[in-house]
Amino acid sequence: MTSPAKRHPAVQYFYNIYMALNTIGLGLWITFKQFIRFSPTTVIYPYEKRELPERFRGTLFMDAKLCIACDACAKICPVDCIDIIPEGKGKERHAVLFDINFYKCMWCGLCTEVCPTECIYMTQDVETVFYDREQMIVHFVPQLPMPGTLGYNAPRPGQASKREKSAADKAATDKPASSPAAKPPAAAVPAAPAESTNEVKPAAAGAAASPPPPAEDVSSASASPEEAAPEAEAPPKAGE
Amino acid sequence: MTVWEQLVGSFSTQPWLVTLYAAFAAGLVIFGYVNFVGIFAIWLERKVAGYIQARPGPLHTGKFHGVLQTLADGVKLMLKEDVIPAQADRLLFTLAPAVVFVGSFLVMVAIPFGPGVFVSDFDIGIFYVLAMSSIAVIGIIMAGWSSNNKWALYGGMRSVSQYVSFEVPLVAALVPVIIHGGTLSFRVVVEQQAGGFWNWNFLGLGNPFLIVSFLVYLVAGIAEVNRTPFDLAESESELVAGFHAEYSGMRFALFFMAEYANMFVAGALATLLFLGGWHAPLPIGPGDSHLAGILMGLFWFLLKSWILVFIMIWIRWTLPRIRPDQLMTVCWKYLLPITLVNLVLAAGWEALK
């Protein structure tokens, strides 16, 4: 409390003993209160997951049907982790290759800020685990199934065909119910920007159903939830 | 004649065999208990640490709150590679964990766990325990020296200087108990405290200076087992891990186990000398001669000892580590004068009573 120099040494000696016992008792009382009113601030991770903030910067995701291949994201990227090859002129312009190298990405979020169509955004996915380094270069064209599956759910090189097959099977079973709705591409375009800003989009489920390579031509084969289907069919034609 | 009959028959012709087998069996029991202490105390430590820090601690291994976590860790340590550094003194390096472990093992022999439940009823039990618990120091300095690592050597030196320093107030704090009881036998000291908690030494109704003895013993006891306010010997943040920095696998586990066994021994000593040993707080229940009385005595002794172990864990997760000069100040400037004055006053009280 007051400066120790003021006291007589003998008084100070006993004062030290008193202060030692006092402060130790205080500390013990605080930890004991913690001990009996046990309220963990942790969660049991794989079973419970902590709610992430709304604007959490998780793994990047790219919505190929909205992309106009303007290259703004690739230009602003401080680590050059985005590769784009554009094709077409004017409104036809789209990306034929859109790769994000997650080995380099540092989650700065600059690409999402410059994107004019909001087609590249950050999801709430934090479980970005890859089996090998090649896999960390993620190809977003053709359209990937959905945000939150880049990591360990992504197909390994050998598994890719199996996964696509099961997705195609699922699409085939869904098809009779939803194919009538799968039509006007024009209607989908205005709706899409609004959707693409939220994280887990229902549209992505439709996209998942379509086997990535033949997405453009075999349009009738791929379909499922209503508004998702037209977007999924024609990512490159999204401008029109 | 079966093997068993030969064995039993040989008892009559060679009585020393009985002693041998009995000693072997007692050793096994004590060994099992030391291992149990290690496993349970480490689990308790982790749970208490978790609860104090607002997290649950081990949860998964074993059905209930991760009780088997330490066992799993032990199995993991046994399977690990046993590394001996190239420049280490191989003989001392391999011997050191065994010496430390044997030190805590030998102490257990003299501790009465209940009425009639002891390996050996020494007349000089207190003296024996204080002597044997010093063996660990030799092991620690062996480990620190033979590792050929400066941090390990620092840790070993600190540990020994701390141990030798705190031995003085510790023993001086126990002397009033010996004067009061007039004996060095644990059994007699405990039997003198029979008949309710008001007869226990720590309340000081028989000799008020035993209260001071008890408090000093608590402080010095924590220093003796190298635990947190006084764990300079293995301070992780400055000396990596102190004397066992170079150890891995089962040798490391032996150090760890010895530390927790020593913790239990410190708690058990306080229980026997100050908290009435195996006596219940109120003089009710079956007498010490019945089996039920023996079990009750065992229960009370273990309960009190483990509460003291809990208090040591609690203190560890409350207080920060102190500096070496502060450590020596606590020992030589505060504990030692207090215990010496206390010793003189307690002896005077006994003489004039």
Side-chain angles (χ1 to χ4, degrees):
Chain A
M1 311 282 191
T2 55
S3 71
K6 297 245 174 86
R7 289 195 190 85
H8 189 274
V11 178
Q12 182 65 39
Y13 183 85
F14 291 101
Y15 183 73
N16 285 347
I17 295 174
Y18 163 73
M19 281 308 281
L21 294 177
N22 195 5
T23 49
I24 288 171
L26 210 64
L28 287 177
W29 174 238
I30 288 169
T31 47
F32 187 68
K33 276 194 296 188
Q34 272 291 325
F35 179 79
I36 50 175
R37 101 158 93 77
F38 167 57
S39 54
T41 57
T42 53
V43 294
I44 304 169
Y45 167 63
Y47 309 114
E48 305 166 14
K49 289 182 183 172
R50 203 183 279 287
E51 187 132 334
L52 294 167
E54 199 181 335
R55 306 180 70 179
F56 183 80
R57 289 191 196 170
T59 315
L60 283 174
F61 192 75
M62 206 284 287
D63 195 351
K65 35 197 185 301
L66 295 179
C67 181
I68 56 171
C70 65
D71 219 25
C73 48
K75 283 192 185 101
I76 204 163
C77 180
V79 291
D80 284 342
C81 73
I82 302 178
D83 266 347
I84 299 175
I85 296 178
E87 196 181 270
K89 292 277 174 201
K91 289 186 174 178
E92 298 294 319
R93 191 179 161 98
H94 62 273
V96 290
L97 178 132
F98 195 110
D99 286 359
I100 297 179
N101 187 345
F102 284 103
Y103 193 65
K104 292 180 182 172
C105 179
M106 60 182 198
W107 280 261
C108 66
L110 285 175
C111 48
T112 65
E113 282 170 28
V114 296
C115 183
T117 62
E118 301 283 330
C119 75
I120 184 165
Y121 57 92
M122 301 189 109
T123 61
Q124 301 231 330
D125 179 24
V126 291
E127 293 167 334
T128 312
V129 185
F130 296 91
Y131 286 106
D132 52 47
R133 207 176 289 183
E134 278 71 36
Q135 233 183 0
M136 299 188 79
I137 302 171
V138 176
H139 312 292
F140 284 96
V141 174
Q143 179 67 60
L144 271 188
M146 65 174 76
T149 57
L150 298 185
Y152 66 101
N153 286 331
R156 303 176 74 171
Q159 295 173 338
S161 60
K162 202 165 128 195
R163 184 188 168 88
E164 280 161 18
K165 206 162 63 181
S166 70
D169 289 349
K170 202 178 157 213
T173 55
D174 289 352
K175 186 181 140 196
S178 55
S179 57
K183 265 306 67 70
V189 178
E195 293 168 10
S196 61
T197 48
N198 55 30
E199 291 79 20
V200 189
K201 307 191 310 166
S210 72
E216 306 175 63
D217 297 321
V218 209
S219 58
S220 59
S222 68
S224 66
E226 307 71 45
E227 11 85 272
E231 298 172 23
E233 279 163 35
K237 296 182 208 143
E240 191 35 67
Chain B
M1 258 170 59
T2 64
V3 178
W4 177 246
E5 279 165 348
Q6 279 178 353
L7 193 70
V8 173
S10 66
F11 286 166
S12 52
T13 54
Q14 274 137 333
W16 58 272
L17 270 178
V18 181
T19 316
L20 187 69
Y21 288 134
F24 196 69
L28 272 184
V29 171
I30 292 289
F31 184 73
Y33 186 69
V34 169
N35 284 300
F36 167 77
V37 165
I39 286 168
F40 182 72
I42 292 170
W43 175 79
L44 187 72
E45 169 115 49
R46 295 175 69 174
K47 282 312 259 193
V48 172
Y51 274 53
I52 285 176
Q53 295 173 352
R55 59 189 171 83
L59 272 183
H60 295 279
T61 321
K63 291 288 179 208
F64 174 74
H65 277 273
V67 273
L68 296 182
Q69 184 63 49
T70 325
L71 203 62
D73 288 346
V75 171
K76 183 202 77 172
L77 283 173
M78 265 191 262
L79 297 175
K80 281 213 161 192
E81 187 187 356
D82 183 19
V83 182
I84 299 180
Q87 298 295 310
D89 185 330
R90 288 186 76 91
L91 177 67
L92 290 184
F93 191 83
T94 47
L95 214 55
V99 171
V100 173
F101 190 72
V102 163
S104 61
F105 184 86
L106 284 178
V107 170
M108 286 277 191
V109 170
I111 290 177
F113 288 81
V117 187
F118 43 73
V119 177
S120 180
D121 178 23
F122 287 109
D123 284 342
I124 52 163
I126 298 172
F127 182 71
Y128 171 85
V129 164
L130 292 174
M132 287 301 132
S133 60
S134 304
I135 286 184
V137 186
I138 301 171
I140 286 170
I141 192 71
M142 273 163 73
W145 173 258
S146 64
S147 299
N148 212 349
N149 170 329
K150 59 183 170 185
W151 306 122
L153 186 57
Y154 278 146
M157 302 259 298
R158 278 188 185 185
S159 181
V160 172
S161 67
Q162 173 183 338
Y163 200 95
V164 172
S165 305
F166 274 88
E167 190 91 307
V168 179
L170 181 96
V171 176
L174 293 187
V175 171
V177 180
I178 298 164
I179 297 174
H180 178 65
T183 176
L184 277 165
S185 161
F186 281 121
R187 184 178 53 78
V188 180
V189 169
V190 171
E191 278 166 3
Q192 284 166 352
Q193 300 179 63
F197 68 89
W198 50 88
N199 284 336
W200 295 358
N201 278 340
F202 83 107
L203 281 179
L205 287 188
N207 186 335
F209 302 103
L210 293 182
I211 303 171
V212 182
S213 275
F214 180 60
L215 294 176
V216 171
Y217 177 81
L218 284 185
V219 178
I222 291 171
E224 287 275 293
V225 295
N226 280 335
R227 286 182 63 82
T228 273
F230 309 110
D231 72 337
L232 304 152
E234 47 193 281
S235 41
E236 303 90 358
S237 44
E238 0 166 351
L239 296 184
V240 246
F243 60 88
H244 55 64
E246 296 288 353
Y247 282 87
S248 61
M250 208 51 213
R251 294 185 206 284
F252 171 73
L254 280 183
F255 277 122
F256 221 60
M257 215 112 88
E259 183 190 331
Y260 284 90
N262 281 336
M263 216 165 103
F264 175 81
V265 167
L269 276 192
T271 305
L272 291 170
L273 298 178
F274 295 102
L275 297 177
W278 58 75
H279 293 301
L282 292 172
I284 47 173
D288 288 353
S289 51
H290 300 86
L291 180 66
I294 291 172
L295 290 179
M296 283 295 286
L298 210 56
F299 167 77
W300 280 111
F301 173 76
L302 292 177
L303 182 73
K304 290 177 203 170
S305 302
W306 281 105
I307 286 175
L308 285 168
V309 170
F310 169 78
I311 289 173
M312 277 186 249
I313 293 172
W314 175 21
I315 288 174
R316 171 171 178 185
W317 295 102
T318 303
L319 299 179
R321 182 182 309 130
I322 62 178
R323 290 199 312 263
D325 64 314
Q326 291 170 330
L327 178 87
M328 290 301 153
T329 306
V330 168
C331 178
W332 296 109
K333 289 190 183 169
Y334 289 91
L335 293 186
L336 188 61
I338 290 171
T339 45
L340 288 181
V341 170
N342 183 51
L343 173 56
V344 171
L345 291 178
W349 178 277
E350 290 297 328
L352 298 176
K353 196 167 64 176

